Coordinates of all heavy atoms in Angstrom, one line a residue:
M398 N -5.8 4.0 22.1 CA -4.9 3.9 20.9 C -5.6 4.1 19.7 O -6.8 3.7 19.6 CB -4.4 2.3 21.0 CG -3.3 2.1 19.8 SD -2.8 0.4 20.0 CE -2.6 0.0 18.3
E399 N -5.0 4.8 18.7 CA -5.7 5.1 17.5 C -5.8 3.9 16.6 O -5.1 2.9 16.7 CB -4.8 6.3 16.7 CG -3.5 5.7 16.3 CD -2.7 6.9 15.8 OE1 -2.8 7.3 14.6 OE2 -1.8 7.5 16.5
N400 N -6.8 4.0 15.7 CA -6.9 2.8 14.8 C -5.8 2.8 13.8 O -5.6 3.8 13.1 CB -8.3 3.0 14.1 CG -8.7 1.8 13.2 OD1 -8.0 0.8 13.3 ND2 -9.7 1.8 12.5
T401 N -5.2 1.6 13.7 CA -4.0 1.5 12.7 C -4.4 0.7 11.5 O -3.5 0.3 10.7 CB -2.9 0.9 13.5 OG1 -3.2 -0.4 13.9 CG2 -2.4 1.8 14.6
E402 N -5.7 0.4 11.3 CA -6.2 -0.3 10.1 C -7.3 0.3 9.4 O -8.1 1.0 10.1 CB -6.5 -1.8 10.5 CG -5.4 -2.7 10.7 CD -5.6 -4.2 10.5 OE1 -6.8 -4.6 10.5 OE2 -4.7 -4.9 10.1
I403 N -7.3 0.2 8.1 CA -8.5 0.7 7.4 C -8.9 -0.4 6.3 O -8.0 -1.1 5.9 CB -8.1 2.0 6.6 CG1 -9.3 2.7 6.1 CG2 -6.9 1.8 5.6 CD1 -9.0 4.2 5.6
T404 N -10.1 -0.5 6.0 CA -10.6 -1.5 5.1 C -10.5 -0.9 3.6 O -10.5 0.4 3.5 CB -12.0 -2.0 5.3 OG1 -12.9 -1.0 5.1 CG2 -12.1 -2.6 6.7
V405 N -10.4 -1.7 2.6 CA -10.4 -1.2 1.3 C -11.6 -0.4 0.9 O -11.7 0.6 0.1 CB -10.1 -2.4 0.2 CG1 -8.8 -2.9 0.4 CG2 -11.1 -3.5 0.2
N406 N -12.8 -0.9 1.5 CA -14.0 -0.3 1.3 C -14.1 1.2 1.9 O -14.9 2.0 1.5 CB -15.2 -1.1 1.8 CG -15.3 -2.3 1.0 OD1 -15.1 -2.4 -0.3 ND2 -15.7 -3.4 1.6
E407 N -13.3 1.5 2.8 CA -13.2 2.8 3.4 C -12.3 3.8 2.6 O -12.4 4.9 2.8 CB -12.6 2.7 4.9 CG -13.5 2.0 5.9 CD -12.8 1.9 7.2 OE1 -12.1 0.9 7.4 OE2 -13.0 2.8 8.0
L408 N -11.6 3.2 1.7 CA -10.7 4.1 0.8 C -11.4 4.3 -0.5 O -12.0 3.3 -1.1 CB -9.5 3.3 0.5 CG -8.5 3.1 1.7 CD1 -7.3 2.1 1.4 CD2 -7.9 4.5 2.0
P409 N -11.3 5.6 -1.1 CA -11.8 5.8 -2.4 C -11.0 5.0 -3.4 O -9.9 4.7 -3.2 CB -11.6 7.3 -2.6 CG -10.5 7.7 -1.6 CD -10.6 6.7 -0.5
D410 N -11.7 4.8 -4.6 CA -11.0 4.0 -5.7 C -9.7 4.7 -6.1 O -8.7 4.0 -6.5 CB -12.0 4.0 -6.9 CG -13.0 2.9 -6.7 OD1 -13.1 2.2 -5.5 OD2 -13.9 2.7 -7.5
D411 N -9.6 6.0 -6.0 CA -8.4 6.7 -6.4 C -7.5 7.1 -5.3 O -6.7 7.9 -5.4 CB -8.8 8.0 -7.2 CG -9.6 9.0 -6.3 OD1 -9.9 8.6 -5.2 OD2 -9.8 10.0 -6.9
A412 N -7.6 6.4 -4.2 CA -6.8 6.7 -3.1 C -5.3 6.5 -3.4 O -4.9 5.5 -4.2 CB -7.1 5.6 -1.9
V413 N -4.4 7.4 -2.8 CA -3.0 7.2 -3.0 C -2.6 6.3 -1.7 O -2.9 6.6 -0.7 CB -2.3 8.5 -2.9 CG1 -0.8 8.4 -2.8 CG2 -2.6 9.4 -4.1
V414 N -2.0 5.1 -2.1 CA -1.5 4.2 -1.1 C 0.0 4.0 -1.2 O 0.5 4.0 -2.4 CB -2.3 2.9 -1.1 CG1 -3.8 3.1 -0.8 CG2 -2.1 2.1 -2.4
L415 N 0.7 3.6 -0.2 CA 2.0 3.2 -0.2 C 2.1 1.7 -0.4 O 1.7 1.0 0.6 CB 2.8 3.7 1.0 CG 4.3 3.2 1.1 CD1 5.0 3.8 -0.1 CD2 4.9 3.6 2.5
D416 N 2.7 1.1 -1.5 CA 2.7 -0.3 -1.7 C 4.1 -0.7 -1.4 O 5.1 -0.2 -2.0 CB 2.4 -0.5 -3.2 CG 2.3 -2.0 -3.5 OD1 3.0 -2.9 -2.9 OD2 1.4 -2.3 -4.3
V417 N 4.3 -1.5 -0.4 CA 5.6 -2.0 0.1 C 6.0 -3.4 -0.4 O 6.9 -4.0 0.1 CB 5.7 -1.9 1.6 CG1 5.6 -0.5 2.1 CG2 4.7 -2.8 2.3
R418 N 5.4 -3.9 -1.4 CA 5.6 -5.2 -1.9 C 6.9 -5.2 -2.8 O 7.5 -4.1 -3.1 CB 4.5 -5.8 -2.8 CG 3.2 -6.0 -2.0 CD 2.0 -6.4 -2.8 NE 1.8 -5.3 -3.8 CZ 1.3 -5.6 -5.0 NH1 1.0 -6.9 -5.4 NH2 1.1 -4.6 -5.8
E419 N 7.4 -6.4 -3.2 CA 8.6 -6.4 -4.0 C 8.3 -6.1 -5.4 O 7.2 -6.1 -5.9 CB 9.1 -7.9 -3.9 CG 9.6 -8.3 -2.5 CD 10.7 -7.3 -2.1 OE1 11.7 -7.2 -2.8 OE2 10.7 -6.8 -1.0
P420 N 9.4 -5.7 -6.2 CA 9.1 -5.2 -7.6 C 8.3 -6.2 -8.5 O 7.5 -5.7 -9.3 CB 10.6 -5.0 -8.1 CG 11.4 -4.7 -6.8 CD 10.8 -5.6 -5.8
G421 N 8.5 -7.5 -8.3 CA 7.7 -8.3 -9.2 C 6.2 -8.4 -8.9 O 5.4 -8.4 -9.8
E422 N 5.9 -8.3 -7.6 CA 4.5 -8.2 -7.2 C 4.0 -6.8 -7.6 O 2.7 -6.8 -8.1 CB 4.4 -8.2 -5.6 CG 4.9 -9.5 -5.0 CD 4.9 -9.4 -3.4 OE1 5.9 -8.7 -2.9 OE2 4.0 -9.9 -2.9
W423 N 4.7 -5.8 -7.6 CA 4.2 -4.4 -8.0 C 3.9 -4.4 -9.5 O 2.9 -4.0 -10.0 CB 5.3 -3.4 -7.7 CG 5.1 -2.1 -8.4 CD1 5.8 -1.8 -9.5 CD2 4.4 -1.0 -8.0 NE1 5.6 -0.5 -9.9 CE2 4.6 0.0 -8.9 CE3 3.5 -0.7 -6.9 CZ2 4.0 1.3 -8.9 CZ3 3.0 0.5 -6.8 CH2 3.2 1.5 -7.9
A424 N 4.9 -5.1 -10.3 CA 4.7 -5.1 -11.7 C 3.5 -5.9 -12.2 O 2.7 -5.5 -13.1 CB 6.0 -5.7 -12.5
A425 N 3.0 -7.0 -11.5 CA 2.0 -7.8 -11.8 C 0.6 -7.1 -11.6 O -0.3 -7.3 -12.4 CB 2.0 -9.1 -11.0
G426 N 0.5 -6.3 -10.5 CA -0.8 -5.7 -10.3 C -0.8 -4.8 -9.1 O -0.2 -5.2 -8.1
R427 N -1.4 -3.6 -9.1 CA -1.4 -2.7 -8.0 C -2.5 -1.8 -8.1 O -3.1 -1.6 -9.1 CB -0.1 -1.9 -7.9 CG 0.1 -1.1 -9.2 CD 1.6 -0.6 -9.4 NE 1.7 0.0 -10.7 CZ 2.2 -0.6 -11.7 NH1 2.5 -1.9 -11.8 NH2 2.4 0.0 -12.9
A428 N -2.8 -1.1 -7.0 CA -3.8 0.0 -7.0 C -3.4 1.0 -7.9 O -2.2 1.3 -8.1 CB -4.0 0.5 -5.6
R429 N -4.3 1.7 -8.7 CA -4.0 2.6 -9.6 C -3.2 3.8 -9.3 O -2.2 4.1 -10.0 CB -5.3 3.1 -10.3 CG -5.0 3.9 -11.6 CD -6.3 4.3 -12.4 NE -7.0 3.2 -12.9 CZ -8.3 3.1 -12.9 NH1 -9.1 4.1 -12.6 NH2 -8.8 2.0 -13.5
N430 N -3.3 4.3 -8.1 CA -2.6 5.4 -7.6 C -1.6 5.1 -6.5 O -1.2 6.0 -5.8 CB -3.5 6.5 -7.1 CG -4.3 7.2 -8.2 OD1 -3.9 7.3 -9.3 ND2 -5.5 7.7 -7.9
A431 N -1.2 3.8 -6.5 CA -0.2 3.3 -5.5 C 1.3 4.0 -5.9 O 1.6 4.3 -7.0 CB 0.0 1.9 -5.5
V432 N 2.0 4.3 -4.7 CA 3.4 4.7 -4.8 C 4.2 3.5 -4.3 O 3.9 3.0 -3.3 CB 3.6 5.9 -4.0 CG1 5.1 6.3 -3.9 CG2 2.8 7.1 -4.5
H433 N 5.3 3.1 -5.1 CA 6.0 2.0 -4.7 C 7.3 2.3 -4.0 O 8.2 2.9 -4.6 CB 6.3 1.1 -6.0 CG 7.0 -0.2 -5.8 ND1 8.0 -0.6 -6.5 CD2 6.7 -1.2 -4.9 CE1 8.3 -1.8 -6.1 NE2 7.5 -2.2 -5.1
I434 N 7.4 1.8 -2.8 CA 8.6 1.7 -2.0 C 8.7 0.4 -1.3 O 8.0 0.1 -0.4 CB 8.7 2.8 -1.0 CG1 8.6 4.2 -1.7 CG2 10.0 2.8 -0.3 CD1 8.6 5.4 -0.7
P435 N 9.5 -0.6 -1.8 CA 9.6 -2.0 -1.3 C 9.9 -1.8 0.2 O 10.7 -0.9 0.7 CB 10.7 -2.6 -2.0 CG 10.7 -1.9 -3.4 CD 10.4 -0.4 -3.0
L436 N 9.4 -2.8 1.0 CA 9.6 -2.9 2.4 C 11.0 -2.5 2.9 O 11.3 -1.7 3.8 CB 9.2 -4.2 3.0 CG 9.5 -4.5 4.5 CD1 8.7 -3.6 5.3 CD2 9.2 -6.0 4.7
G437 N 12.0 -3.2 2.3 CA 13.4 -3.1 2.6 C 14.0 -1.7 2.3 O 15.1 -1.4 2.8
E438 N 13.3 -0.8 1.6 CA 13.8 0.5 1.2 C 13.1 1.6 2.0 O 13.5 2.8 1.8 CB 13.6 0.7 -0.3 CG 14.5 -0.3 -1.1 CD 14.2 -0.1 -2.6 OE1 13.8 0.9 -3.1 OE2 14.5 -1.1 -3.4
V439 N 12.1 1.3 2.8 CA 11.2 2.4 3.3 C 12.1 3.4 4.2 O 12.0 4.5 4.1 CB 10.1 1.7 4.1 CG1 9.4 2.8 5.0 CG2 9.1 1.1 3.2
V440 N 12.9 2.8 5.0 CA 13.7 3.7 6.0 C 14.6 4.6 5.2 O 14.6 5.8 5.6 CB 14.6 2.7 7.0 CG1 15.4 3.6 7.7 CG2 13.6 1.9 7.8
A441 N 15.3 4.1 4.2 CA 16.1 5.0 3.4 C 15.4 6.0 2.6 O 15.9 7.0 2.1 CB 17.1 4.2 2.6
R442 N 14.0 5.8 2.3 CA 13.4 6.6 1.3 C 12.2 7.3 2.0 O 11.2 7.7 1.2 CB 12.8 5.7 0.1 CG 14.1 5.1 -0.7 CD 13.6 4.1 -1.8 NE 12.7 4.7 -2.8 CZ 12.1 4.1 -3.7 NH1 12.2 2.7 -3.9 NH2 11.3 4.7 -4.6
L443 N 12.3 7.6 3.3 CA 11.2 8.3 3.9 C 10.8 9.6 3.2 O 9.7 10.1 3.3 CB 11.6 8.6 5.3 CG 11.5 7.3 6.3 CD1 11.9 7.8 7.7 CD2 10.0 6.7 6.3
S444 N 11.8 10.2 2.7 CA 11.5 11.5 1.9 C 10.6 11.4 0.8 O 10.2 12.4 0.2 CB 12.8 12.3 1.6 OG 13.5 11.5 0.7
E445 N 10.5 10.2 0.3 CA 9.8 10.0 -0.9 C 8.2 9.5 -0.7 O 7.5 9.1 -1.6 CB 10.4 8.8 -1.8 CG 11.7 9.2 -2.3 CD 12.4 8.1 -3.0 OE1 11.8 7.4 -3.8 OE2 13.6 7.8 -2.8
L446 N 8.0 9.4 0.7 CA 6.6 9.0 1.0 C 5.6 10.0 0.4 O 5.8 11.2 0.4 CB 6.3 9.0 2.5 CG 7.2 7.9 3.3 CD1 6.9 8.1 4.9 CD2 6.8 6.6 2.8
P447 N 4.5 9.5 -0.2 CA 3.5 10.4 -0.7 C 2.8 11.2 0.4 O 2.7 10.7 1.5 CB 2.4 9.5 -1.4 CG 2.7 8.1 -0.7 CD 4.1 8.1 -0.3
V448 N 2.4 12.4 0.1 CA 1.8 13.2 1.1 C 0.3 13.1 0.7 O -0.2 13.4 -0.4 CB 2.2 14.8 0.9 CG1 1.4 15.7 1.8 CG2 3.7 14.8 1.2
V449 N -0.5 12.8 1.8 CA -1.9 12.6 1.6 C -2.7 13.3 2.8 O -2.0 13.6 3.8 CB -2.4 11.1 1.7 CG1 -1.7 10.4 0.5 CG2 -2.0 10.4 3.0
E450 N -4.0 13.5 2.6 CA -4.7 14.1 3.6 C -5.1 12.9 4.5 O -5.6 12.0 4.2 CB -6.0 14.7 3.1 CG -6.6 15.9 3.9 CD -7.6 16.7 3.1 OE1 -7.2 17.3 2.1 OE2 -8.8 16.7 3.5
G451 N -4.8 13.2 5.8 CA -5.0 12.1 6.8 C -3.9 11.2 6.8 O -2.8 11.4 6.2
P452 N -4.2 10.0 7.5 CA -3.1 9.0 7.5 C -2.7 8.3 6.2 O -3.6 8.2 5.4 CB -3.7 8.0 8.5 CG -5.0 8.3 8.8 CD -5.4 9.6 8.2
L453 N -1.5 8.0 6.0 CA -1.0 7.4 4.8 C -1.5 5.9 4.8 O -1.0 5.1 5.7 CB 0.5 7.5 4.6 CG 1.1 6.8 3.5 CD1 0.6 7.3 2.2 CD2 2.6 6.8 3.7
P454 N -2.3 5.4 3.9 CA -2.6 4.0 3.9 C -1.4 3.2 3.2 O -0.8 3.7 2.1 CB -3.8 3.9 2.8 CG -4.2 5.5 2.6 CD -3.0 6.2 2.8
V455 N -1.0 2.2 3.9 CA 0.1 1.3 3.5 C -0.4 -0.1 3.1 O -1.3 -0.6 3.9 CB 1.2 1.2 4.6 CG1 2.4 0.4 4.1 CG2 1.6 2.6 5.1
I456 N 0.0 -0.6 2.0 CA -0.6 -1.8 1.5 C 0.6 -2.8 1.1 O 1.6 -2.5 0.6 CB -1.6 -1.5 0.3 CG1 -2.4 -2.7 0.0 CG2 -0.8 -1.1 -1.0 CD1 -3.6 -2.3 -1.0
C457 N 0.3 -4.1 1.2 CA 1.2 -5.1 0.7 C 0.3 -6.2 0.1 O -0.8 -5.8 -0.4 CB 2.1 -5.7 1.8 SG 1.3 -6.5 3.1
R458 N 0.7 -7.4 0.1 CA -0.3 -8.5 -0.5 C -1.4 -8.8 0.3 O -2.5 -8.8 0.0 CB 0.6 -9.8 -0.7 CG -0.2 -10.9 -1.3 CD 0.6 -12.1 -1.6 NE -0.1 -13.1 -2.4 CZ -0.8 -14.1 -1.8 NH1 -0.9 -14.1 -0.5 NH2 -1.5 -14.9 -2.7
S459 N -1.2 -9.0 1.7 CA -2.2 -9.5 2.5 C -2.3 -8.6 3.8 O -3.3 -8.7 4.6 CB -2.1 -11.0 3.0 OG -0.8 -11.0 3.8
G460 N -1.3 -7.8 4.2 CA -1.5 -6.9 5.3 C -0.3 -7.1 6.3 O -0.2 -6.3 7.2
A461 N 0.5 -8.2 6.2 CA 1.5 -8.4 7.2 C 2.8 -7.4 7.0 O 3.1 -6.9 8.1 CB 2.0 -9.8 7.1
R462 N 3.3 -7.3 5.9 CA 4.4 -6.4 5.7 C 4.1 -4.9 5.9 O 4.8 -4.2 6.5 CB 5.1 -6.5 4.3 CG 5.8 -7.9 4.1 CD 6.3 -8.2 2.7 NE 5.1 -8.5 1.8 CZ 5.2 -8.8 0.7 NH1 6.2 -8.7 -0.1 NH2 4.1 -9.3 0.0
S463 N 2.9 -4.6 5.4 CA 2.4 -3.2 5.5 C 2.2 -2.9 7.0 O 2.5 -1.7 7.5 CB 1.2 -3.0 4.7 OG 0.2 -3.9 4.9
A464 N 1.8 -3.8 7.8 CA 1.6 -3.6 9.2 C 3.0 -3.3 9.9 O 3.0 -2.4 10.8 CB 1.0 -4.8 9.9
Q465 N 4.1 -3.9 9.5 CA 5.4 -3.6 10.0 C 5.7 -2.2 9.6 O 6.3 -1.5 10.5 CB 6.4 -4.6 9.4 CG 6.3 -6.0 9.8 CD 7.3 -6.9 9.1 OE1 7.8 -6.6 8.0 NE2 7.7 -8.0 9.7
V466 N 5.5 -1.8 8.4 CA 5.8 -0.4 7.9 C 5.0 0.6 8.7 O 5.5 1.6 9.2 CB 5.6 -0.3 6.4 CG1 5.8 1.2 6.0 CG2 6.6 -1.2 5.6
V467 N 3.7 0.3 8.9 CA 2.9 1.2 9.7 C 3.4 1.4 11.1 O 3.5 2.6 11.6 CB 1.4 0.8 9.7 CG1 0.5 1.6 10.7 CG2 0.8 1.0 8.3
A468 N 3.8 0.3 11.7 CA 4.3 0.4 13.1 C 5.6 1.3 13.0 O 5.8 2.1 14.0 CB 4.6 -0.9 13.7
Y469 N 6.5 1.2 12.1 CA 7.6 1.9 12.0 C 7.3 3.4 11.7 O 7.9 4.2 12.5 CB 8.6 1.4 10.9 CG 9.8 2.3 10.7 CD1 10.9 2.2 11.5 CD2 9.7 3.2 9.6 CE1 12.0 3.0 11.3 CE2 10.8 4.1 9.5 CZ 11.9 4.0 10.3 OH 13.0 4.8 10.2
L470 N 6.4 3.7 10.8 CA 6.1 5.0 10.6 C 5.5 5.7 11.7 O 5.8 6.9 12.1 CB 5.1 5.1 9.4 CG 5.7 4.7 8.0 CD1 4.6 4.6 6.9 CD2 6.9 5.4 7.5
L471 N 4.5 5.1 12.4 CA 3.9 5.6 13.6 C 4.9 6.0 14.7 O 4.9 7.0 15.4 CB 2.8 4.7 14.1 CG 1.5 4.6 13.3 CD1 0.7 3.5 13.9 CD2 0.8 6.0 13.2
A472 N 5.8 5.0 14.9 CA 6.9 5.2 15.9 C 7.8 6.4 15.6 O 8.5 6.9 16.4 CB 7.7 3.9 16.1
N473 N 7.9 6.7 14.3 CA 8.6 7.9 13.9 C 7.8 9.1 13.5 O 8.3 10.0 12.8 CB 9.5 7.4 12.7 CG 10.6 6.6 13.1 OD1 11.7 7.0 13.6 ND2 10.4 5.2 13.0
G474 N 6.6 9.1 14.1 CA 5.9 10.4 14.1 C 5.1 10.6 12.7 O 4.7 11.7 12.4
I475 N 5.0 9.5 11.9 CA 4.3 9.6 10.6 C 3.0 9.0 10.7 O 2.9 7.7 11.0 CB 5.2 9.1 9.5 CG1 6.5 9.9 9.3 CG2 4.4 9.1 8.0 CD1 7.5 9.2 8.4
D476 N 1.9 9.7 10.5 CA 0.6 9.1 10.6 C 0.3 8.2 9.4 O 0.4 8.6 8.3 CB -0.5 10.2 10.5 CG -1.9 9.8 11.1 OD1 -1.9 8.7 11.7 OD2 -2.7 10.6 10.9
A477 N 0.0 6.9 9.8 CA -0.1 5.9 8.7 C -1.2 4.8 9.2 O -1.4 4.7 10.4 CB 1.2 5.2 8.4
V478 N -1.8 4.1 8.3 CA -2.8 3.0 8.5 C -2.5 1.9 7.6 O -2.1 2.0 6.5 CB -4.3 3.4 8.4 CG1 -4.6 4.4 9.5 CG2 -4.6 4.0 7.0
N479 N -2.7 0.7 8.2 CA -2.5 -0.6 7.3 C -3.8 -0.8 6.6 O -4.9 -0.8 7.2 CB -2.2 -1.7 8.4 CG -1.8 -3.0 7.6 OD1 -1.2 -2.9 6.5 ND2 -2.1 -4.1 8.2
V480 N -3.7 -1.2 5.3 CA -4.9 -1.6 4.6 C -5.2 -3.0 4.8 O -4.3 -3.9 4.4 CB -4.6 -1.3 3.0 CG1 -5.8 -1.7 2.3 CG2 -4.3 0.2 2.7
D481 N -6.2 -3.3 5.6 CA -6.6 -4.7 5.9 C -6.9 -5.5 4.7 O -7.6 -5.2 3.8 CB -7.8 -4.5 6.8 CG -8.2 -5.9 7.5 OD1 -7.3 -6.6 7.8 OD2 -9.4 -6.2 7.6
G482 N -6.1 -6.7 4.7 CA -6.3 -7.6 3.7 C -5.4 -7.4 2.4 O -5.4 -8.1 1.5
G483 N -4.8 -6.2 2.4 CA -3.8 -5.8 1.4 C -4.4 -5.8 -0.1 O -5.7 -5.6 -0.3
T484 N -3.5 -6.0 -1.0 CA -3.8 -6.0 -2.4 C -4.9 -7.0 -2.8 O -5.7 -6.9 -3.7 CB -2.6 -6.1 -3.4 OG1 -1.7 -5.1 -2.8 CG2 -2.8 -5.8 -4.9
L485 N -4.8 -8.2 -2.0 CA -5.8 -9.3 -2.3 C -7.2 -8.7 -2.1 O -8.1 -8.9 -2.9 CB -5.5 -10.5 -1.4 CG -4.2 -11.3 -1.7 CD1 -3.9 -12.2 -0.7 CD2 -4.4 -12.0 -3.0
A486 N -7.3 -8.1 -1.0 CA -8.7 -7.5 -0.6 C -9.1 -6.4 -1.6 O -10.1 -6.3 -2.0 CB -8.7 -6.9 0.7
W487 N -8.0 -5.6 -2.0 CA -8.3 -4.5 -3.1 C -8.8 -5.1 -4.3 O -9.9 -4.7 -4.8 CB -7.0 -3.8 -3.3 CG -7.2 -2.5 -4.1 CD1 -7.1 -2.5 -5.5 CD2 -7.3 -1.2 -3.7 NE1 -7.2 -1.2 -5.9 CE2 -7.3 -0.3 -4.9 CE3 -7.4 -0.6 -2.5 CZ2 -7.6 1.0 -4.9 CZ3 -7.6 0.8 -2.4 CH2 -7.6 1.6 -3.6
A488 N -8.2 -6.1 -4.8 CA -8.6 -6.9 -6.1 C -10.1 -7.5 -5.9 O -10.9 -7.3 -6.8 CB -7.6 -7.9 -6.4
R489 N -10.3 -8.2 -4.7 CA -11.5 -8.8 -4.5 C -12.6 -7.8 -4.5 O -13.8 -8.1 -4.8 CB -11.5 -9.6 -3.1 CG -11.1 -11.0 -3.3 CD -11.4 -11.8 -2.0 NE -10.9 -11.2 -0.8 CZ -9.7 -11.3 -0.2 NH1 -8.8 -12.3 -0.8 NH2 -9.3 -10.8 0.9
A490 N -12.4 -6.6 -4.0 CA -13.4 -5.6 -3.9 C -13.6 -4.9 -5.3 O -14.5 -4.0 -5.4 CB -13.0 -4.5 -2.8
G491 N -12.9 -5.3 -6.3 CA -13.1 -4.7 -7.6 C -12.6 -3.3 -7.8 O -13.0 -2.6 -8.6
K492 N -11.6 -3.0 -6.9 CA -11.0 -1.6 -7.0 C -10.2 -1.6 -8.2 O -9.7 -2.5 -8.7 CB -10.2 -1.3 -5.7 CG -11.0 -1.3 -4.5 CD -11.6 0.0 -4.2 CE -12.1 0.2 -2.8 NZ -12.7 1.5 -2.7
P493 N -10.0 -0.4 -8.8 CA -9.3 -0.3 -10.0 C -7.8 -0.6 -9.9 O -7.1 -0.2 -8.8 CB -9.4 1.2 -10.5 CG -10.0 1.9 -9.3 CD -10.6 0.9 -8.4
M494 N -7.2 -1.4 -10.7 CA -5.9 -1.8 -10.6 C -5.2 -1.6 -12.1 O -5.8 -1.5 -13.1 CB -5.7 -3.3 -10.2 CG -6.2 -3.6 -8.8 SD -6.1 -5.3 -8.4 CE -4.3 -5.5 -8.4
T495 N -3.8 -1.5 -12.0 CA -3.0 -1.5 -13.2 C -1.8 -2.4 -13.0 O -1.5 -2.8 -12.0 CB -2.6 0.0 -13.4 OG1 -2.0 0.1 -14.7 CG2 -1.6 0.5 -12.4
A496 N -1.2 -2.7 -14.2 CA -0.1 -3.5 -14.2 C 0.9 -3.0 -15.2 O 0.6 -2.1 -16.1 CB -0.4 -5.0 -14.5
D497 N 2.1 -3.5 -15.2 CA 3.2 -3.1 -16.2 C 2.8 -3.5 -17.6 O 3.1 -2.9 -18.6 CB 4.6 -3.6 -15.8 CG 5.2 -2.7 -14.6 OD1 4.5 -1.8 -14.1 OD2 6.3 -3.0 -14.2
R498 N 2.2 -4.8 -17.6 CA 1.7 -5.2 -18.9 C 0.6 -6.2 -18.7 O 0.6 -6.9 -17.7 CB 2.8 -5.8 -19.7 CG 3.5 -7.0 -19.1 CD 4.7 -7.4 -20.0 NE 5.6 -8.3 -19.3 CZ 6.6 -7.9 -18.5 NH1 6.9 -6.6 -18.3 NH2 7.3 -8.8 -17.9
G499 N -0.3 -6.3 -19.6 CA -1.5 -7.2 -19.5 C -2.4 -6.9 -18.3 O -2.5 -5.8 -17.8
E500 N -3.3 -7.9 -18.0 CA -4.3 -7.8 -17.0 C -3.6 -7.7 -15.7 O -2.7 -8.7 -15.4 CB -5.2 -9.0 -17.0 CG -6.6 -8.9 -17.6 CD -7.3 -7.6 -17.5 OE1 -7.9 -7.2 -16.4 OE2 -7.4 -6.8 -18.5
P501 N -4.0 -6.9 -14.8 CA -3.4 -6.9 -13.5 C -3.8 -8.0 -12.6 O -5.0 -8.5 -12.8 CB -3.8 -5.5 -12.8 CG -5.0 -5.0 -13.6 CD -4.9 -5.7 -15.0
Y502 N -3.0 -8.6 -11.9 CA -3.3 -9.7 -10.9 C -2.4 -9.6 -9.6 O -1.4 -8.9 -9.7 CB -3.2 -11.1 -11.6 CG -1.8 -11.4 -12.0 CD1 -1.0 -12.3 -11.3 CD2 -1.2 -11.0 -13.2 CE1 0.4 -12.5 -11.6 CE2 0.1 -11.3 -13.6 CZ 0.8 -12.1 -12.7 OH 2.1 -12.4 -13.1
V503 N -2.7 -10.2 -8.6 CA -2.0 -10.2 -7.4 C -1.1 -11.4 -7.3 O -1.7 -12.6 -7.4 CB -2.9 -10.2 -6.2 CG1 -2.1 -10.1 -4.8 CG2 -3.8 -8.9 -6.2
V504 N 0.2 -11.3 -7.1 CA 1.1 -12.4 -7.0 C 1.1 -12.9 -5.6 O 1.2 -12.1 -4.6 CB 2.6 -12.0 -7.4 CG1 3.5 -13.1 -7.2 CG2 2.6 -11.5 -8.8

């Protein structure tokens, strides 16, 4: 079985990641190059998935929701990996973040 998880330290600071958190979580703080498609909208918005070299990293707050999305994507022939520890791990690692306003933080 292929590895379905990746750590934040294995990703470059400018990695494009699919963020599947809710809009309020997204607004508060996210990876700088994240693309936002909330969990409940992923199936309807597959055509909007970012194109990356290699598997698509998928992130949420801690890794649970993104793991569900990765399982769905893999089952549908889309190469994806879960970002272990999610946005919490991204922030703890000091990776660049942005927010809609003010200092970014993880909700």
Side-chain angles (χ1 to χ4, degrees):
M398 184 176 145
E399 64 189 280
N400 187 9
T401 59
E402 283 206 334
I403 191 167
T404 68
V405 294
N406 294 324
E407 293 174 272
L408 290 168
D410 286 357
D411 63 351
V413 172
V414 297
L415 174 63
D416 191 323
V417 297
R418 296 175 302 148
E419 293 303 307
E422 295 173 286
W423 164 265
R427 60 194 172 269
R429 189 175 292 147
N430 290 332
V432 173
H433 187 223
I434 303 178
L436 173 65
E438 299 176 20
V439 169
V440 174
R442 295 175 61 188
L443 285 178
S444 66
E445 297 174 44
L446 292 178
V448 176
V449 298
E450 205 165 299
L453 174 62
V455 184
I456 198 167
C457 63
R458 181 177 186 270
S459 63
R462 288 173 283 180
S463 50
Q465 293 176 334
V466 171
V467 167
Y469 174 81
L470 294 176
L471 291 173
N473 285 277
I475 299 167
D476 197 11
V478 289
N479 188 33
V480 179
D481 186 37
T484 307
L485 289 169
W487 186 273
R489 270 196 308 271
K492 297 277 195 175
M494 293 181 65
T495 189
D497 284 1
R498 59 183 169 275
E500 252 333 277
Y502 64 97
V503 181
V504 174

